[in-house]
Amino acid sequence: MAKPKVYISKQIPAQVLSYLEEYCECKMWDGSGGASRQGLLAELQDVEGLLTTGGPIDAELLQHAPKLRAVSSISVGYNHFDLDAMRTRGVLGMHTPYVLDDTVADLVLALMLASARRVPELDAFVKEGKWQRGRGLKEEDFFGMDVHHATIGILGMGRIGEAIAKRAVHGFDMELLYYNRTRKPEAEERFGAQYVTTEELLRRSDFVVLMTPLTAETKMYFRKEHFELMKPTAFFINASRGQTVDEAALIKALRSGRIRGAGLDVFDPEPPQPDNPLLSMPNVVTLPHIGSATEKTRFDMAMLAARNLVAALTGGRPPHVVKELADLVESR
Ligand code: NAP
């Protein structure tokens, strides 16, 4: 039997490609970064499976891919899937949960520590030769805020939220508040987490961590009124998606001293415009969307995405179909 045709829209490790080639006839984008939209659309005519990272999987793309049966994303977030369009065409969508939880949680702690202890700001201070005797520097000039024993409030207590909770409670002795659409009794038991309203979480937390997925419900989830409830000494940490936050409201809250600082791995849009005020604020730590970006974790994600795709195309049971399309597996 002929192998199903697969297009891979960004370069993946050789070992993952060899695995895919055992089961599929593969063509991979050979440039750096990922395939352009036009480049991608031009490749899809005969393709049954697509391995991708981002870029909308929408009605236009599906029109260019009449034989497409499965899309496997090398990411846990799948806000680039147009779920209605995929459902209408019966195309399975898959993602890579679990394998990146610890790596993203490490980065969230790094954002908390870096913003509270002013690591990038003071690193620049030393490297720019400003740390000199006789300049009238006071020790208070270098003071930051403690992370240990502070209160963390997690909005979106899912897989990654729980990995953050574990570090915060067991590593940093933090008090843990959370709000989640569904209450998580097991997280309450494991971490002593207190389930509170969003309002209470914002009023009491020293670190507010946003970790919800981007969905129709969470677009612009965090707005002016939320920043207004935060403590003026608190830090806002976002590693979910840029569009979950009203970035203009965040900028205002920082400019006016309404909150103390922020640690951001995500922006709207990405990359941010060079004149985005967030990029010139010393109390804001900015990273280029690197939550899962370690060599091992990106390898594990690519391999899991490849396994998902092979299972979907060869009649197996793909382990990680996104929950909104899970019923399509039964009806194949
Ligand atoms: P997850 O396990 O699905 O957790 C998300 C949690 O958010 C779930 O517990 C969910 O509640 C909750 N939630 C959803 N909508 C909500 C709402 N309207 N109000 C309150 N809570 C809500 O996902 P995950 O694996 O932890 O990943 C979370 C997100 O992190 C991803 O979707 C992605 O956008 C982002 N991410 C970013 C990076 C990065 O590089 N910065 C890396 C990986 C992931 P329910 O239990 O009710 O569904």
Side-chain angles (χ1 to χ4, degrees), residues 76 158-160 180-182 184 211 213 217 221 239 265 289 291:
V76 69
R159 291 173 292 257
I160 298 170
N180 195 68
R181 185 171 52 185
T182 324
K184 297 281 173 81
M211 220 50 253
E217 214 181 302
Y221 183 73
D265 187 39
H289 201 146

Side-chain angles (χ1 to χ4, degrees), residues 123-186:
D123 173 69
F125 179 86
V126 176
K127 288 179 179 159
E128 286 162 15
K130 294 178 179 164
W131 189 30
Q132 291 166 7
R133 291 194 197 289
R135 286 192 53 166
L137 293 169
K138 301 188 289 295
E139 66 172 6
E140 307 86 273
D141 292 338
F142 304 139
F143 283 178
M145 299 283 282
D146 280 327
V147 173
H148 67 86
H149 294 95
T151 299
I152 181 172
I154 300 177
L155 288 166
M157 183 67 101
R159 291 173 292 257
I160 298 170
E162 289 199 26
I164 297 165
K166 180 176 165 190
R167 285 157 176 74
V169 171
H170 298 315
F172 290 83
D173 293 314
M174 297 182 83
E175 180 175 13
L176 172 60
L177 312 178
Y178 82 102
Y179 173 73
N180 195 68
R181 185 171 52 185
T182 324
R183 193 166 173 172
K184 297 281 173 81
E186 65 301 346

Side-chain angles (χ1 to χ4, degrees), residues 65-76:
K67 297 184 181 168
L68 192 66
R69 293 192 280 135
V71 178
S72 185
S73 186
I74 310 174
S75 64
V76 69

Side-chain angles (χ1 to χ4, degrees), residues 204-220:
R204 286 176 56 194
S205 297
D206 300 304
F207 295 86
V208 172
V209 176
L210 188 53
M211 220 50 253
T212 59
L214 173 61
T215 62
E217 214 181 302
T218 61
K219 204 167 181 180
M220 290 275 187

